[in-house]
Amino acid sequence: MTPRHLRGLLDTSVVVSLGGLTDLDALPARCFVSAITLAELSVGPLVAKTDRERIARQSVLQQVEADFHAIPFDDRAARAFGRVAAELRASGRTTTARAYDALIAATAVANELPVFTLNVDDFSGISSLTVVEVEPV
């Protein structure tokens, strides 16, 4: 059994799946989200196709804002983004394809946090980042 991480940054994929995860011990003892995840979640209600979907997405956003400390994308994260973008380019990937993920990765690198995600491939090619896979429901 892998020891539990004390701190970690939850990727948006994990945040939107929290209610359905069965092994919460797989998450860090202290969870954070990036301001980028809040930005990503803020788009959801605005592009929803139905009122029901809009309400559900707004509810998730509000719950995340209430439950988590959002780490800002600051000057340290901006500098880390340069490293992340260079690593992605060196691995043959671009930052534009998964811009939110690259910004979340930079936030994690700048704050020396592992990223917990359902989508490990979204963070491949970033050697300066520790990625922890969370098993879906």
Side-chain angles (χ1 to χ4, degrees):
M1 181 173 167
T2 306
R4 188 170 188 192
H5 287 267
L6 295 179
R7 301 168 56 231
L9 188 70
L10 304 184
D11 176 39
T12 310
S13 65
V14 172
V15 170
V16 298
S17 299
L18 278 174
L21 296 178
T22 55
D23 185 12
L24 295 180
D25 287 336
L27 298 178
R30 185 151 185 224
C31 298
F32 298 92
V33 297
S34 169
I36 305 306
T37 290
L38 291 182
E40 202 171 359
L41 292 173
S42 294
V43 174
L46 301 173
V47 299
K49 295 187 181 356
T50 67
D51 287 340
R52 178 182 226 153
E53 184 180 11
R54 186 176 348 280
I55 290 166
R57 289 178 177 189
Q58 185 65 37
S59 176
V60 168
L61 171 61
Q62 289 173 325
Q63 193 68 54
V64 170
E65 290 174 329
D67 290 347
F68 295 97
H69 169 73
I71 298 175
F73 189 85
D74 58 12
D75 56 336
R76 289 180 311 125
R79 284 191 298 278
F81 181 78
R83 273 191 317 221
V84 166
E87 289 175 355
L88 287 171
R89 184 172 292 171
S91 72
R93 300 182 71 205
T94 65
T95 54
T96 54
R98 303 294 305 183
Y100 291 125
D101 296 327
L103 294 166
I104 289 168
T107 304
V109 169
N111 289 279
E112 299 178 350
L113 295 169
V115 167
F116 287 73
T117 183
L118 296 174
N119 306 313
V120 173
D121 289 343
D122 290 348
F123 297 96
S124 67
I126 307 171
S127 61
S128 59
L129 178 66
T130 300
V131 181
V132 179
E133 184 172 18
V134 176
E135 294 296 324
V137 179

